[in-house]
Amino acid sequence: MSYYFDYGATSLKKPKEVADKVYEVLSSGKYANASRGSYYEANNAFREVYEARKAVADFFGLKEEDRMVFTSNSTESLNIAIFGLLNKEDHVVTTSMEHNSVLRPIYLAHETIGCNYTIVRGDKTGMISYEDLEAAIRPNTKMLAITHSSNVTGNVIDLEKVATICKKHNIISVVDVSQTAGVIPINMEELGIDVLCFTGHKSLYGPQGIGGLCIRLKEPEIRRYKVGGSGVRTFDKEHPGEYPLRLEAGTLNTVGILGLHEGIKYINKKGINNLYKKQIGFADRFYNELKDLDCLEFYGDFTKERTAVVAMNFKDIPAADVADVLSEQYNIAIRPGAHCAPLMHEALGTKDQGIVRFSFSSMNTEEEVDYAINAVKSIAKEL
């Protein structure tokens, strides 16, 4: 196995409880199709899916668990929110910090629906100004779609400031928490976030293929994006309009949902702040050991709150070449390239070179981190 430092992409190591639950669902014969029968196996699945839904809602500070909708990942959640809320002539504000899972739905909404958008550009560290965010708002602005943390630099956005701006101008806040769910505590009610989109396979430690959106927003309702089987009101031509059925047509991913629930229980047991302290400690150790090497350039603001990401480059060497050396000579797995965040790389001036990204987890060990530090130092000596 590799020395794995790509937890910003997916958590390679999962808690044993997650794997055990997934195996139980698939092998025990106790879980049928939730909401599709009144016998034990269907009722058992229904009950545990409800418990998982309630746990996710509680985890993100959403008061009404029925407004917690399961999806396949953040990308699907963001598509649902963006296409389900924007209309022709609406204006949406977003930023250069965004992943393509925010940007591409906005671009497509512009092409197909006829809404407009403004992209607020970041500074030399990749961070955006809250004053610039507010200045971008127009009379017809309906939505601010923004990430909580850059997947490239680890820079973190102040969601309280974002929500305050949105409330002041009566616009909808749609937040992508892919990088911070399970890392930084988020309470939608306290912060005033309208729609929160998350994926389960990163720092929530769930299986791949499960995610969701939490909808605090009451009006307008998010338009249906797919319809079909619901398990209730079969003879109605129209798909049920109440949440979560409104946005959950077809068979649910029971395996992923219950695996995600175990991941959340693991975080609650360990303490989200304890897990964050461990992983940011690894990132800080890595950065502090290497920051003074002349051949390295680092990206992002290391003086403020951040996720456990260290983005860097070796002089003008292409990031992909560095990743190949790390993999082939040192058996180290990292993420090079553009990280599906093109505007961030334009802001940082790394569009052609890419960036070498190390992203850490509480699942890493001190020995692994020290090994990575020594590997980078060894490469640096050869330059």
Side-chain angles (χ1 to χ4, degrees):
M1 289 180 61
S2 299
Y3 292 86
Y4 187 81
F5 301 100
D6 196 20
Y7 280 92
T10 194
S11 53
L12 183 68
K13 300 175 184 176
K14 311 286 185 181
K16 184 176 183 298
E17 297 91 330
V18 173
D20 288 347
K21 189 64 180 183
V22 168
Y23 182 76
E24 179 191 354
V25 175
L26 293 174
S27 65
S28 68
K30 296 179 181 179
Y31 299 89
N33 200 340
S35 303
R36 301 300 194 273
S38 59
Y39 48 89
Y40 167 78
E41 292 83 358
N43 289 337
N44 189 45
F46 177 83
R47 175 181 57 80
E48 292 205 26
V49 166
Y50 170 78
E51 291 172 353
R53 194 186 304 278
K54 181 70 165 60
V56 173
D58 290 345
F59 189 79
F60 290 119
L62 179 67
K63 286 186 174 180
E64 301 173 70
E65 67 269 12
D66 59 338
R67 301 179 77 83
M68 191 276 115
V69 175
F70 287 114
T71 66
S72 59
N73 47 45
S74 290
T75 298
E76 184 176 26
S77 299
L78 288 158
N79 273 266
I80 293 169
I82 290 168
F83 282 98
L85 290 168
L86 292 177
N87 300 302
K88 187 176 182 180
E89 305 302 332
D90 283 341
H91 176 250
V92 56
V93 175
T94 190
T95 81
S96 59
M97 293 177 66
E98 309 308 316
H99 190 279
N100 272 333
S101 57
V102 173
L103 295 174
R104 284 176 173 168
I106 291 174
Y107 296 153
L108 187 58
H110 171 67
E111 294 174 11
T112 59
I113 298 174
C115 59
N116 299 304
Y117 64 87
T118 296
I119 296 171
V120 177
R121 302 286 171 168
D123 62 18
K124 63 181 181 180
T125 71
M127 275 298 288
I128 53 112
S129 157
Y130 301 101
E131 291 76 15
D132 289 347
L133 268 184
E134 189 164 13
I137 295 171
R138 304 175 184 173
N140 65 327
T141 301
K142 187 172 186 179
M143 176 189 296
L144 171 57
I146 193 168
T147 186
H148 190 191
S149 176
S150 167
N151 69 312
V152 179
T153 64
N155 293 341
V156 171
I157 289 291
D158 187 331
L159 292 184
E160 187 171 4
K161 289 183 179 179
V162 167
T164 298
I165 292 170
C166 289
K167 280 186 257 184
K168 177 181 176 182
H169 296 276
N170 194 30
I171 61 177
I172 299 167
S173 55
V174 175
V175 181
D176 173 11
V177 299
S178 299
Q179 295 296 316
T180 54
V183 176
I184 297 173
I186 301 167
N187 188 300
M188 294 182 69
E189 192 65 35
E190 292 179 1
L191 292 169
I193 298 169
D194 293 316
V195 182
L196 178 146
C197 302
F198 72 91
T199 196
H201 68 97
K202 297 181 189 287
S203 293
L204 291 176
Y205 302 116
Q208 294 176 348
I210 187 65
L213 68 164
C214 295
I215 307 163
R216 179 176 163 273
L217 177 74
K218 294 299 190 293
E219 294 290 341
E221 290 187 327
I222 297 176
R223 287 189 294 271
R224 299 173 182 88
Y225 79 111
K226 65 178 180 180
V227 297
S230 60
V232 298
R233 296 205 291 277
T234 295
F235 292 97
D236 290 354
K237 290 183 178 180
E238 187 175 77
H239 193 82
E242 68 272 17
Y243 293 105
L245 290 176
R246 182 180 185 85
L247 301 174
E248 285 184 353
T251 296
L252 292 173
N253 178 7
T254 302
V255 176
I257 292 169
L258 301 193
L260 171 64
H261 190 191
E262 291 299 321
I264 288 176
K265 287 195 283 188
Y266 171 84
I267 295 167
N268 289 336
K269 178 182 177 182
K270 295 291 185 179
I272 188 170
N273 291 322
N274 293 330
L275 295 175
Y276 174 76
K277 183 178 179 180
K278 186 174 181 181
Q279 62 184 285
I280 200 66
F282 289 150
D284 287 345
R285 179 186 181 93
F286 182 84
Y287 170 70
N288 288 326
E289 285 286 332
L290 300 172
K291 66 180 181 180
D292 294 327
L293 293 179
D294 292 337
C295 65
L296 296 181
E297 181 174 1
F298 293 88
Y299 305 92
D301 189 341
F302 288 85
T303 67
K304 298 177 181 177
E305 182 183 27
R306 53 186 294 103
T307 57
V309 171
V310 178
M312 65 184 195
N313 271 321
F314 289 75
K315 292 185 176 179
D316 57 353
I317 300 174
D321 292 349
V322 175
D324 286 344
V325 171
L326 286 168
S327 177
E328 293 171 9
Q329 297 186 22
Y330 298 93
N331 201 29
I332 290 175
I334 59 95
R335 175 79 182 274
H339 311 91
C340 301
L343 301 185
M344 176 60 81
H345 282 271
E346 288 182 9
L348 297 174
T350 54
K351 183 178 178 180
D352 295 327
Q353 184 180 11
I355 279 176
V356 174
R357 186 190 72 180
F358 283 76
S359 50
F360 301 84
S361 166
S362 59
M363 293 291 181
N364 285 123
T365 66
E366 289 186 7
E367 291 76 16
E368 290 173 340
V369 176
D370 287 343
Y371 179 82
I373 291 168
N374 290 329
V376 172
K377 288 181 176 178
S378 295
I379 296 172
K381 286 180 181 178
E382 298 176 5
L383 296 180

